[in-house]
Amino acid sequence: MLLHLGDEEVIHSKDVLAILDINALKTSELAKEFLKKHEKNQTLTDLSGNAAKSVIITDKTIYLSPLSASTLKKRASDRLELENGWNIK
């Protein structure tokens, strides 16, 4: 299934390795280095216009999204349920 990340960017949900809250990464020097490395290598895509709420990690690209991690996780979860059959909540 497809997952909308914001700013008209859509990826396959099966490509997502992690969805992280940006606030959790702001205090980590290792996370900051990770993001800088990917920015330097041009594998970081900022969809947020410098207002990121979440980081989406795939095997090829790191995305900064204006959508919250909880919103993205819910969307991914809802789509997974649809793939596995109809569920009424």
Side-chain angles (χ1 to χ4, degrees):
M1 298 298 284
L2 299 174
L3 180 62
H4 177 257
L5 304 179
D7 196 32
E8 300 181 21
E9 185 73 33
V10 179
I11 61 173
H12 288 278
S13 56
K14 67 179 181 178
D15 295 336
V16 175
L17 301 176
I19 299 173
L20 307 169
D21 187 301
I22 193 77
N23 292 324
L25 300 178
K26 287 182 179 179
T27 59
S28 169
E29 289 301 318
L30 186 59
K32 289 177 186 177
E33 286 180 40
F34 174 78
L35 294 175
K36 284 182 185 178
K37 176 187 169 197
H38 283 279
E39 184 175 23
K40 182 180 175 185
N41 293 341
Q42 297 181 344
T43 55
L44 178 77
T45 302
D46 187 353
L47 306 171
S48 70
N50 293 322
K53 293 182 181 177
S54 62
V55 177
I56 300 89
I57 301 173
T58 69
D59 61 341
K60 296 179 183 175
T61 305
I62 308 300
Y63 297 94
L64 300 179
S65 175
L67 303 174
S68 72
S70 60
T71 297
L72 291 169
K73 287 178 184 179
K74 183 174 179 343
R75 287 181 181 183
S77 174
D78 288 347
R79 282 168 178 72
L80 181 61
E81 288 178 6
L82 286 175
E83 285 179 3
N84 294 326
W86 293 99
N87 292 321
I88 298 175
K89 294 183 180 179

